[in-house]
Amino acid sequence: MGRPPHLATSGTGLYDGDQDETGSAWARERQAALHCPANHAAWAEQQRQRRDELHAEFWVSASAGRRIRAAAARAGLSPDEMLARLAERVNVDDGGAVSAAPFTPGRTPVASEER
């Protein structure tokens, strides 16, 4: 098996990281970022939030789907955005009853609250 064409034309037999200016610069930047306490704290918070996120795919009945699509269209949102806004407002009481207070959805992002 011969050398890859780009290595053959450059006269190089193997990849040499010391000659890769772009890759070396990226590696230095990454290493510096990893050692910065503020960057590490931000990264740790992002990781915590990712663990708390929920990505779900599910089926709803035709009538529920129509209601969701109609409400989303009226608010200028996608059905996914509408369901996310609704989920942000879900409350569970001590007895396990689930409810969401009435709200007017819009394009303004909702601040997430721990419940």
Side-chain angles (χ1 to χ4, degrees), residues 45-56 84 87-88 112 114:
E45 177 62 17
Q46 286 175 341
Q47 296 304 308
R48 187 192 66 76
Q49 288 183 8
R50 280 194 187 123
R51 283 190 303 270
D52 292 342
E53 288 179 355
L54 172 65
H55 300 271
E88 288 283 340
S112 178
E114 296 292 324

Side-chain angles (χ1 to χ4, degrees), residues 34-65:
L34 289 174
H35 287 72
C36 176
N39 288 344
H40 179 71
W43 177 84
E45 177 62 17
Q46 286 175 341
Q47 296 304 308
R48 187 192 66 76
Q49 288 183 8
R50 280 194 187 123
R51 283 190 303 270
D52 292 342
E53 288 179 355
L54 172 65
H55 300 271
E57 183 174 326
F58 55 94
W59 295 94
V60 296
S61 68
S63 63

Side-chain angles (χ1 to χ4, degrees), residues 2-49:
R3 293 185 292 176
H6 66 280
L7 292 179
T9 58
S10 70
T12 305
L14 298 172
Y15 173 76
D16 183 356
D18 292 333
Q19 293 180 1
D20 182 354
E21 293 176 18
T22 303
S24 296
W26 176 85
R28 284 190 300 275
E29 289 170 9
R30 183 176 182 276
Q31 194 65 22
L34 289 174
H35 287 72
C36 176
N39 288 344
H40 179 71
W43 177 84
E45 177 62 17
Q46 286 175 341
Q47 296 304 308
R48 187 192 66 76
Q49 288 183 8

